[in-house]
């Protein structure tokens, strides 16, 4: 089970197409608040998370997930168009699996990153 959290519906479609034959069950939501509600309903095996979203952004989602013993173990892969500062990258390094820039997103790379995260979880 894979949860995609991104306010861009094109990102949802692109990820669904890239992972179409992978066997993952993909659920997509548009912001951090929806993500937290979806996670409470059905815990995903992995989260693909955008950082820049309305309402609760990706940084806030990570913070809330890592504070909760029920969700702190869920692997998170960041998919973003944001250029991260060194401070942001250092902060994220301790609590996520990987950062993939959206412009560099390729199906094979994404699938390898997901599979690697699943084996480490």
């Amino acid at each position: 089970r894979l949860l995609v959290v991104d306010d861009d519906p094109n990102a949802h479609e692109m990820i669904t197409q890239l992972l179409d034959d992978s066997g993952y069950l993909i659920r997509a939501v548009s912001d951090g608040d929806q993500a937290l509600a979806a996670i409470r309903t059905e815990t995903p095996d992995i989260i693909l998370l955008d950082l820049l979203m309305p309402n609760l952004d990706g940084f806030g989602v990570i913070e809330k997930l890592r504070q909760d013993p029920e969700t702190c173990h869920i692997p998170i892969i960041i998919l973003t168009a944001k250029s991260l500062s060194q401070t942001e990258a250092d902060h994220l390094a301790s609590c996520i699996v990987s950062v993939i820039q959206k412009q560099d997103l390729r199906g094979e790379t994404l699938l390898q990153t997901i599979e690697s995260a699943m084996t480490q979880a």
Side-chain angles (χ1 to χ4, degrees):
R1 293 178 314 260
L2 193 140
L3 178 64
V4 178
V5 186
D6 197 311
D7 61 323
D8 181 357
N10 293 325
H12 298 174
E13 180 65 27
M14 178 176 58
I15 292 165
T16 300
Q17 287 178 2
L18 290 173
L19 299 177
D20 189 38
D21 296 328
S22 67
Y24 288 101
L25 298 174
I26 300 170
R27 181 173 182 187
V29 297
S30 298
D31 66 35
D33 291 327
Q34 291 176 6
L36 296 176
I39 292 164
R40 282 190 294 273
T41 302
E42 182 177 16
T43 305
D45 296 307
I46 194 159
I47 299 169
L48 302 180
L49 179 66
D50 187 18
L51 291 176
L52 301 176
M53 297 178 292
N55 303 323
L56 183 62
D57 68 11
F59 294 103
V61 171
I62 292 168
E63 184 177 326
K64 289 186 180 292
L65 292 177
R66 294 307 181 232
Q67 291 174 353
D68 184 342
E70 296 290 319
T71 59
C72 64
H73 68 282
I74 303 171
I76 299 171
I77 297 171
I78 301 296
L79 293 176
T80 189
K82 177 179 174 32
S83 295
L84 298 175
S85 70
Q86 190 60 49
T87 303
E88 290 169 328
D90 291 344
H91 174 71
L92 289 173
S94 66
C95 50
I96 60 140
V97 173
S98 181
V99 175
I100 300 174
Q101 292 293 318
K102 285 183 181 178
Q103 62 270 21
D104 298 332
L105 187 60
R106 304 286 180 268
E108 186 175 307
T109 304
L110 180 58
L111 193 54
Q112 287 174 351
T113 304
I114 292 170
E115 289 174 356
S116 175
M118 295 296 288
T119 59
Q120 294 173 13

